[in-house]
Amino acid sequence: MDIMPRDFGLEHNEWRKGQKEAIILATEQCNKEGGFLFLELPTGVGKTAIPTALSKNNNVLALVQTLSLLDQYEKEYKFDIVKGRQEYPCVLKEKVVSWRLNYNKEPTAADCHFSDPRDCMQSSNCPYIIAKDKAARSTRAACTYKYASLSDVMRDRKGVLVLDEAHLAGHELLSLAEFFITSEQIKEFNLPDFPFYYYGAGGSGDMIDMKTRARVVIWMNDCIKTIGNITVFDRMTEKGSKVARMLQYITCALDMVQDEKIDLFMKCGKIEQMNTAGLFGNVDYGSKKRMYISIKPLYVSRIAWRLFGKKDTTILMSATIGNPDPLAKELGISDYRFETFDHPIPKVKRPVFDLGCPKMTYKNISDAPGIQNAQATLIYNFIKGLPKKWRGIILTSSYQKVETLKSLLKERLNGRIIIGSANGKSVTSRVDEFIDSDMEGAIAIDTIQGWGTGLDFRGDKARFVIVAGIQQPNPRDKFDMARISRAGGRKYAQWTTYNSV
Ligand code: SF4
């Protein structure tokens, strides 16, 4: 008798092409060998079915990059999910009332003032604790890469780890590990002044040597001493909550800086114009010149254990792996198995066209700025040849290029561009805005980061995508160049570029 999806606990009746084979293969890996399995599964195979099916007989934790994908795991595949604390409201009545009154704000679990939240008399009703405990006990749990890298419970779980959109794991780990602090924050939290205002030749940053590392450690310890003695009463206030988060942030960074096995790159500089989303929410630093220090690891392999932890089997799924070697090396995986599956839709039904644009490199644009207009014209001519009601997406590699393309296409596309700049909104909300709109012929112009993978534009939501630019290492960025000059760095950079589409 044929094996059916329901035999694996899946709620659909028919297999998609390649799905059954992929599940059988992943099951064998878990049952026999354990270790690492790279699975290249094209869009349309239904990748989420794999961790779902494995959870029938294994303790599975799936990692995703975005909250919208996490919600999809919960809604469509009944995963027990846990998000970051800031996504859950605090339900301690006195605190909620006090915050509304004093700060006109709703406290979240990120503002929790208890060192051990179980000491709270509302802990049994606390939405964050409920979600966290449920996910920790569940055999079908999911969270973000960020949550997993910060949570001891998720790291120490045994069983099967499934990395969704695994090609993004390296980038995700690098950005999660970065320590970034501004002079505004130094002032706001009354921290000791920066130990450096300038680092590396021409101020472009450099690898941290032992002497510098020691100075950074002393400075971080001084910061911790300065803000470390906040009481539980301080923590109940908005300011105290922020201090507690900063304390945790510096403490985590100190762990990284003290670990001499982790090679670190440091840069100090002036913030010209920067939007950053992180621990402290979206911060618009505007155009006034302020200082920052950024410290980040050079090798992902030294921090990848934060995800893999004690898992018996790790399955890395992605629609675009190609040669898995560069990614395996980047993540410090020496021994692995790789399997790839054919695309369920024949090539003829998913055509790829070369519009014949020149390469939009920094050098080419500087030498001949007119090529941006030439590119816009080619894009416009292509769109003009499609049915007018088709919706689509144009992706490029920076916000500046998004703005340029928008201004060059605005009049020609006559009101069809509904997303065309960040406008202080997150990528997720821009994607949602595009999906929620029913406008015929709507076009989004945005950066490839965030829109490039893992999104589901069902039906007619997006009939075409134009890749107007892909991210390449910046030859003027010393960190990018330091990463390229590592053994295997250039191969990984090329691999990343291939996978960003
Ligand atoms: S445990 Fe913390 S976040 Fe949860 S209800 Fe109590 S005070 Fe609020």
Side-chain angles (χ1 to χ4, degrees), residues 48 51 61-73 79 81-82 141-148 162-166 168 172 176 317:
T48 321
L61 171 65
L63 303 189
V64 300
Q65 203 199 12
T66 62
L67 290 181
S68 53
L69 202 49
L70 197 55
D71 287 335
Q72 217 173 301
Y73 266 77
F79 273 72
I81 65 165
V82 55
C143 64
T144 59
Y145 281 83
K146 181 173 182 177
Y147 190 92
V162 179
L163 270 56
D164 202 343
E165 306 292 356
L168 299 171
E172 193 68 6
L176 292 176
M317 313 190 297

Side-chain angles (χ1 to χ4, degrees), residues 89-92 95 108-109 112-114 117 120 122-123 126-127 129:
C90 169
V91 292
L92 185 62
K95 184 165 178 176
T108 70
C112 186
H113 54 283
F114 289 99
C120 172
Q122 279 298 332
S123 62
C126 176
I129 296 181

